[in-house]
Amino acid sequence: MIAYIERFVHENDVDSMPEQDTAAEQDRGDVLPLFNGVDLHGTVEFAGCGCGSDAGKDFGGTHFTEPLAVIRPSNSADVAKVVRLASRSPHLTVAARGNGHSVNGQAMAHRSLVLDMKSIESRIDVDPAAELADVSGGALWEDVLEHCVSRYGLAPRSWTDYLGLTVGGTLSNAGVSGQAFVYGPQTENVTELEVVTGNGDVLVCSKNQNPELFFSVLGGLGQFGVITRARVMLQPAPDMVRWIRVVYSEFSDFTRDAELLVTRPAGDSFDYVEGFVVTNSDDPVNGWPTVPLDTNQSFDPTRIPRNAGPVVYCLEVALHYSNEDPPFTVDMRVERLMGGMRVKEGMRFEVEVGYVEFLSRVKRAEKEAKANGIWEAPHPWLNLFISKTDIAHFDRLVFQNILHHGVGGPMLVYPLLRSKWDSRKSTVLPEGEIFYLVALLRFCFPYPKGLSVQEMVVQNQEIVQTCTNNGFDFKLYLPHYNSTDDWKHHFGNQWTRFQGRKASFDPMALLAPGQKIFPRNWQPS
């Protein structure tokens, strides 16, 4: 749904990056000898050679550090050699970096080693009969989409809204979008992985082969292994998409219809269901002008009741179809699926787009944003999973109160189904069958047009504290904490299992140091 980022392109002055940690260069002499005799097919760049310029920052733009070296591995053997090399030092760690889209330094390694996973030899091998693709961990989902659709008419089943992410990166978290209520997150749509563990072993795993590693790594925040290959499930790709947005003034109507759609039997709903919140204003960045899907469409604010609150809600759905489907049959399917929904007259917008165009909708916004400086600006995003039992209260306290002026970017909110997630995997969720993704995708604009980066971070903390103080059943998605106690609380009754998996697959705590879950050479408590 973050297609409407394109509305947010403005000039932006970004604070210059803080000075890099010069201590990293001082350690260069200690690291260089470790690489002596290490036969890598890839390349190594050491501190002081500009290697930290990219690997020392991420999309969030709030964390900066310089690694000692950036390794561009050619294959999984290179990754394993680097992990084993780090194990020979008492303090080195290894971070796998995909396309740098983390927001809190999760893929950084302070004065240690960063693996640039995009450098691994690209691989997208499709078995059309089995509807499977073997894909490199460093491949971008947008490249997987183009390859599978253009050559085989197939496509992965589950996506993220933004496809400029690596396969290994999203599988290390979950990977959610509007298809997750049907197929589950991306972690539920892989059948096999090749993983380099923290022990330096290259292992193939699946539900039947090394199953504990398989379940650990999927959603494991990079703590148990580096994904170097994934076998992804495919399905026939449709040709076209009917893309629809419906606006509500009442949150209860919005959630009722959203939950109605995601709980219908398989095949009896739309193929994509998301939602978002906008301010009840003509603000071109945060308000209802962002809702229409085409420049020929306009929003009529007189359709909003006078007693509506400071924000309104938009349900976004999509139906896939074939070029061979007669237009009237598509119309009939759409109207049948929308039957029973509380749609008000004049509050519905729709367009027809190609399937690949629909999935690539954020890429167009990215190109515009890069041209205007927005994409490289700080993005202190906040993502949460919130139980259905608390989402209405969250709306009153957060959307209608703390965020009633918007966040300078999309505010996503839509339901997911717990039964579509395998509890053996590492991602933790709220209780109950229905829970909501809330994603506050902030964009920094020049002050005084918006909040400063620091003010946005403080506001995120206020939101999390509001959830905590009110006893909400929630979990951070793409989590980031600074203390062991916070991580224990995050994982709850799964903490013991998480620790045990760490002890098995990365006992020296070499991997993913930027998550700040386990210090180097930790001991299980």
Side-chain angles (χ1 to χ4, degrees):
M1 163 269 135
I2 53 180
Y4 76 101
I5 289 176
E6 58 216 46
R7 307 277 187 147
F8 308 149
V9 178
H10 299 283
E11 290 295 328
N12 189 42
D13 296 320
V14 185
D15 291 338
S16 60
M17 183 187 301
E19 292 185 8
Q20 298 295 316
D21 185 359
T22 56
E25 189 171 353
Q26 298 173 4
D27 284 351
R28 181 181 176 188
D30 296 331
V31 175
L32 279 169
L34 288 176
F35 282 88
N36 291 339
V38 178
D39 182 22
L40 295 177
H41 289 86
T43 62
V44 183
E45 290 185 15
F46 294 98
C49 301
C51 69
S53 59
D54 288 329
K57 60 182 180 179
D58 61 18
F59 189 68
T62 60
H63 290 66
F64 307 91
T65 190
E66 186 175 6
L68 290 181
V70 174
I71 299 93
R72 295 182 172 84
S74 178
N75 49 40
S76 58
D78 278 357
V79 174
K81 289 173 184 177
V82 171
V83 172
R84 290 195 292 268
L85 178 150
S87 70
R88 290 157 45 190
S89 163
H91 59 82
L92 284 180
T93 55
V94 179
R97 186 180 193 271
N99 208 21
H101 212 264
S102 300
V103 296
N104 286 299
Q106 288 97 328
M108 295 182 191
H110 178 61
R111 295 172 63 180
S112 276
L113 310 179
V114 171
L115 292 163
D116 181 355
M117 297 302 294
K118 290 194 299 180
S119 68
I120 288 184
E121 184 178 357
S122 180
R123 176 180 181 180
I124 307 174
D125 297 330
V126 177
D127 182 343
E131 297 187 344
L132 295 169
D134 277 347
V135 181
S136 301
L140 298 181
W141 283 107
E142 61 191 19
D143 296 331
V144 177
L145 172 67
E146 191 280 330
H147 182 93
C148 292
V149 172
S150 64
R151 300 193 184 190
Y152 303 96
L154 299 171
R157 307 193 308 173
S158 190
W159 295 98
T160 53
D161 285 332
Y162 175 60
L163 303 186
L165 307 172
T166 59
V167 170
T170 64
L171 294 180
S172 295
N173 289 280
V176 295
S177 184
Q179 307 85 8
F181 79 97
V182 182
Y183 300 108
Q186 290 181 314
T187 50
E188 299 300 323
N189 291 276
V190 292
T191 62
E192 182 179 285
L193 300 171
E194 179 185 77
V195 174
V196 177
T197 70
N199 296 311
D201 299 322
V202 182
L203 299 174
V204 174
C205 57
S206 66
K207 290 183 179 180
N208 300 315
Q209 180 181 3
N210 296 315
E212 188 65 18
L213 178 62
F214 181 74
F215 295 129
S216 299
V217 169
L218 291 170
L221 306 177
Q223 291 297 313
F224 313 113
V226 178
I227 298 172
T228 52
R229 177 181 62 82
R231 183 164 293 168
V232 179
M233 300 169 68
L234 307 176
Q235 65 180 359
D239 298 308
M240 298 294 294
V241 171
R242 178 73 63 88
W243 186 7
I244 303 170
R245 288 177 175 171
V246 180
V247 178
Y248 301 80
S249 60
E250 296 294 330
F251 190 66
S252 58
D253 289 341
F254 166 81
T255 55
R256 176 216 178 253
D257 283 1
E259 292 174 16
L260 171 72
L261 294 179
V262 302
T263 55
R264 282 176 174 169
D268 195 29
S269 188
F270 288 96
D271 299 290
Y272 162 100
V273 176
E274 285 198 12
F276 57 96
V277 180
V278 296
T279 62
N280 186 7
S281 73
D282 62 356
D283 183 337
V285 173
N286 298 289
W288 30 254
T290 61
V291 171
L293 289 163
D294 188 90
T295 55
N296 295 324
Q297 300 171 348
S298 61
F299 189 91
D300 181 1
T302 64
R303 300 284 185 177
I304 300 176
R306 291 188 176 183
N307 62 349
V311 297
V312 294
Y313 314 92
C314 183
L315 184 59
E316 182 172 58
V317 300
L319 178 70
H320 300 164
Y321 63 94
S322 166
N323 285 332
E324 284 71 42
D325 293 334
F328 76 90
T329 63
V330 177
D331 292 341
M332 289 176 61
R333 288 170 61 194
V334 167
E335 297 311 316
R336 178 177 61 83
L337 294 175
M338 297 196 74
M341 294 175 59
R342 296 176 178 175
V343 182
K344 298 293 196 305
E345 184 180 354
M347 303 290 263
R348 171 174 162 181
F349 304 85
E350 56 188 281
V351 293
E352 313 280 340
V353 295
Y355 175 67
V356 173
E357 180 184 358
F358 174 72
L359 290 178
S360 305
R361 59 200 182 278
V362 182
K363 189 68 175 181
R364 299 188 300 274
E366 177 189 3
K367 290 179 180 179
E368 288 189 49
K370 281 184 174 180
N372 289 273
I374 293 295
W375 200 256
E376 302 302 326
H379 302 87
W381 289 4
L382 177 64
N383 295 269
L384 309 99
F385 292 142
I386 300 177
S387 171
K388 170 186 174 178
T389 59
D390 296 311
I391 194 64
H393 199 188
F394 181 93
D395 168 60
R396 289 191 295 273
L397 294 178
V398 179
F399 288 136
Q400 296 188 44
N401 184 12
I402 298 175
L403 301 178
H404 67 279
H405 291 306
V407 298
M411 298 191 291
L412 307 188
V413 55
Y414 58 90
L416 299 166
L417 303 179
R418 186 183 178 92
S419 57
K420 299 295 182 178
W421 301 60
D422 191 327
S423 62
R424 293 172 292 182
K425 294 169 186 173
S426 292
T427 306
V428 289
L429 305 172
E431 296 298 326
E433 169 63 357
I434 298 177
F435 62 97
Y436 279 75
L437 170 75
V438 172
L440 308 178
L441 308 183
R442 300 175 180 275
F443 276 65
C444 271
F445 298 98
Y447 191 83
K449 291 184 179 179
L451 299 179
S452 68
V453 178
Q454 292 76 16
E455 288 171 324
M456 288 183 177
V457 171
V458 169
Q459 195 175 71
N460 285 344
Q461 294 169 344
E462 179 187 2
I463 292 167
V464 173
Q465 194 60 50
T466 296
C467 293
T468 301
N469 291 345
N470 285 275
F472 290 174
D473 180 12
F474 79 101
K475 299 292 182 184
L476 290 188
Y477 175 51
L478 311 176
H480 176 74
Y481 295 103
N482 291 315
S483 74
T484 300
D485 286 343
D486 285 338
W487 280 112
K488 286 181 178 179
H489 183 266
H490 172 77
F491 284 103
N493 58 14
Q494 295 187 35
W495 174 247
T496 300
R497 184 183 73 176
F498 199 83
Q499 277 197 117
R501 289 173 166 179
K502 188 70 170 180
S504 295
F505 302 119
D506 185 23
M508 299 174 69
L510 299 173
L511 302 178
Q515 293 283 3
K516 298 183 180 179
I517 305 177
F518 300 101
R520 181 71 159 84
N521 295 314
W522 73 294
Q523 295 295 322
S525 58

